[in-house]
Amino acid sequence: MTQSDAAKPMSLEAAKSAMLSAVDCRLPTSSVALHNLPGRVLATDIVATSDSPPADNSAMDGYALRACDLGVVDEFEVAGRVMAGDAFKGVVGAGQAVRIMTGAPLPAGADTVVMQENVEVSGEYLHGGKPCRMRLLEQPKPGANVRKAGEDMARGETVYTAGRRLNPVDIGILATLGMAEAEVRAPLRVALFASGDELRAPGERLEPGEIYDSNRYFLRALLSRHGYEVVDLGVVADDPALLREAYSEADSRADAVITCGGASVGEADYARDLLAATGEVGFWKVAIKPGKPFIFGHLSNSVFFGLPGNPVSALVTFQQLVAPCLQKMQGAVVTRPLLLTAVTTLDIKRNRSRLDFQRGLFATDEQGRLCVTPDRQQSSGALGPLSRCNCFIRVAPGSEAIRSGEAVDIELFDF
């Protein structure tokens, strides 16, 4: 890509495609114990080595019997009892039933379970407290209340494919399959720092012209939430020598480097020149609002992402551009944002040349339609609206405004 090309804002899809083509996963794999797996990315497929459940079992507390006896036998002889974890030793014969508890394996010969609420028991009680006779108050359907072997997961079935980021339910499923560990990718290491003489840590006293560093905190939280190993290098002053040192340290310690601030064209914006001097600039500027001054490239050992300093710009570029690349570098399946169609309740002004991510609040109206209301504050420096909104309104570039009542695409917040 030429320098002149790099200065032209790329479309969001072109930028994302170029970035994904320029990165890959080089992380090693290891076998990790079950309790350490949440958030980790599978390196291999997970294939069930046995049926789940392993045998037909009862979905209810009740009585197991033969469906062929339904409508034929008036009163059943209770031949025994089976609890979860036990197994009935005999075979259920004609006119017989077995008292059974939820989860207990279905006795041989039985194929149906009637709920205990739908029977009447009578007669003498034998050892173990089981009734001798049972009469149906309500006829079950043949095969009722039986969980078939393998109906949850069948032996040989591919339950998960490589690239899945494991969540808490996934851990439970692996445990159900009897797996004590799984082969996963090592966590991706991401170095993060913010630049700016004006930035101060929360809790410090602000002098005139200073602001609190917020971007680094929410970016770190987003990275940690998705299982990345964060190398937080703090805040670096707008000094080329100090920034060069920070670039070098970040490059030596991480697979990916994210900087926040210094990506534009101001007198203290050094990010692009430093990247060109120490690595390679892939492209600069994306045709989105907010977030136009975004930089992508490579350092000696790592992939570089230069985010704008305005908070909403940093968030939008991270979600739209950085997150998919980090997923691919981690070996995870690259996901696309969920888009829904809603009706806007207010007029929306378009940007003439850039895809605009406006903040909005969606809800359903009395007719059940999905509606969205743009927030009154759309400044790229205002983080507050994100606390009262729940989506981005994706406004395509154009010259004419979108009128109230027209359909728009919305992207639900995922943070």
Side-chain angles (χ1 to χ4, degrees):
M1 182 178 294
T2 67
Q3 189 64 28
S4 60
D5 287 336
K8 296 177 182 178
M10 298 179 69
S11 71
L12 176 63
E13 289 305 316
K16 188 183 299 183
S17 177
M19 293 168 66
L20 289 172
S21 297
V23 301
D24 55 19
C25 177
R26 302 179 181 180
L27 299 173
T29 68
S30 62
S31 188
V32 173
L34 206 61
H35 60 276
N36 289 326
L37 285 177
R40 301 295 291 271
V41 174
L42 283 174
T44 60
D45 293 351
I46 299 297
V47 178
T49 57
S50 60
D51 287 337
S52 177
D56 294 355
N57 70 82
S58 178
M60 297 283 180
D61 290 347
Y63 293 84
L65 45 78
R66 307 187 321 168
C68 61
D69 286 339
L70 296 174
V72 177
V73 177
D74 293 326
E75 193 173 67
F76 290 80
E77 172 195 355
V78 178
R81 180 180 65 176
V82 58
M83 309 289 288
D86 292 337
F88 185 69
K89 300 299 189 293
V91 177
V92 178
Q96 290 186 324
V98 170
R99 177 74 166 128
I100 193 168
M101 301 301 167
T102 303
L106 207 65
D111 56 13
T112 300
V113 173
V114 58
M115 294 190 298
Q116 62 184 11
E117 294 88 346
N118 294 334
V119 304
E120 180 180 83
V121 296
S122 61
E124 298 180 1
Y125 282 77
L126 305 179
H127 60 66
K130 62 177 184 283
C132 285
R133 313 294 298 178
M134 181 271 291
R135 184 172 65 87
L136 300 179
L137 300 178
E138 182 177 313
Q139 292 278 336
K141 293 181 179 180
N145 304 314
V146 174
R147 301 172 181 147
K148 303 298 289 184
E151 72 173 28
D152 186 8
M153 292 169 282
R155 181 177 181 176
E157 175 184 349
T158 299
V159 180
Y160 294 130
T161 55
R164 184 180 180 90
R165 191 179 298 277
L166 297 170
N167 62 42
V169 172
D170 297 335
I171 307 307
I173 289 176
L174 295 181
T176 299
L177 294 172
M179 299 183 62
E181 55 189 22
E183 192 77 10
V184 293
R185 295 282 181 181
L188 188 74
R189 294 187 307 276
V190 182
L192 170 68
F193 68 87
S195 63
D197 293 337
E198 76 281 12
L199 299 179
R200 294 294 176 268
E204 292 183 349
R205 180 178 178 178
L206 294 182
E207 298 296 336
E210 296 177 343
I211 60 173
Y212 290 119
D213 170 26
S214 60
N215 296 359
R216 188 167 52 89
Y217 288 89
F218 73 69
L219 289 170
R220 177 169 181 165
L222 283 170
L223 291 165
S224 297
R225 173 188 171 190
H226 289 94
Y228 303 119
E229 184 180 306
V230 182
V231 180
D232 191 345
L233 300 181
V235 174
V236 182
D238 288 324
D239 179 300
L242 294 176
L243 286 167
R244 185 183 288 267
E245 290 179 9
Y247 277 45
S248 177
E249 181 181 358
D251 184 43
S252 68
R253 297 178 60 184
D255 307 296
V257 176
I258 298 176
T259 68
C260 199
S264 193
V265 292
E267 293 184 7
D269 291 325
Y270 302 112
R272 186 161 59 107
D273 290 341
L274 281 170
L275 180 60
T278 57
E280 178 186 358
V281 178
F283 64 82
W284 172 56
K285 294 193 297 190
V286 183
I288 59 175
K289 178 185 179 184
K292 179 181 177 181
F294 172 83
I295 305 170
F296 172 72
H298 288 79
L299 293 168
S300 298
N301 305 301
S302 60
V303 180
F304 179 89
F305 307 97
L307 277 56
N310 280 324
V312 184
S313 300
L315 178 63
V316 169
T317 51
F318 178 87
Q319 292 288 92
Q320 297 297 322
L321 295 165
V322 180
C325 281
L326 296 182
Q327 288 175 339
K328 185 175 181 181
M329 294 175 68
Q330 177 65 80
V333 173
V334 177
T335 60
R336 297 187 65 85
L338 174 64
L339 297 182
L340 301 175
T341 300
V343 173
T344 178
T345 63
L346 299 173
D347 291 352
I348 301 176
K349 184 179 179 179
R350 295 181 189 268
N351 184 277
R352 287 183 176 272
S353 60
R354 290 186 282 163
L355 173 63
D356 193 358
F357 288 84
Q358 297 198 19
R359 280 67 75 199
L361 180 68
F362 77 87
T364 53
D365 63 12
E366 294 179 352
Q367 287 74 44
R369 297 183 308 168
L370 190 60
C371 299
V372 64
T373 301
D375 194 79
R376 64 183 183 275
Q377 173 60 273
Q378 295 293 335
S379 168
S380 62
L383 204 56
L386 297 177
S387 66
R388 58 179 178 260
C389 295
N390 55 15
C391 69
F392 287 116
I393 307 171
R394 294 174 61 116
V395 183
S399 57
E400 296 184 3
I402 299 173
R403 300 302 177 187
S404 175
E406 293 184 2
V408 293
D409 287 335
I410 63 172
E411 180 178 325
L412 308 189
F413 285 170
D414 183 26
F415 48 80

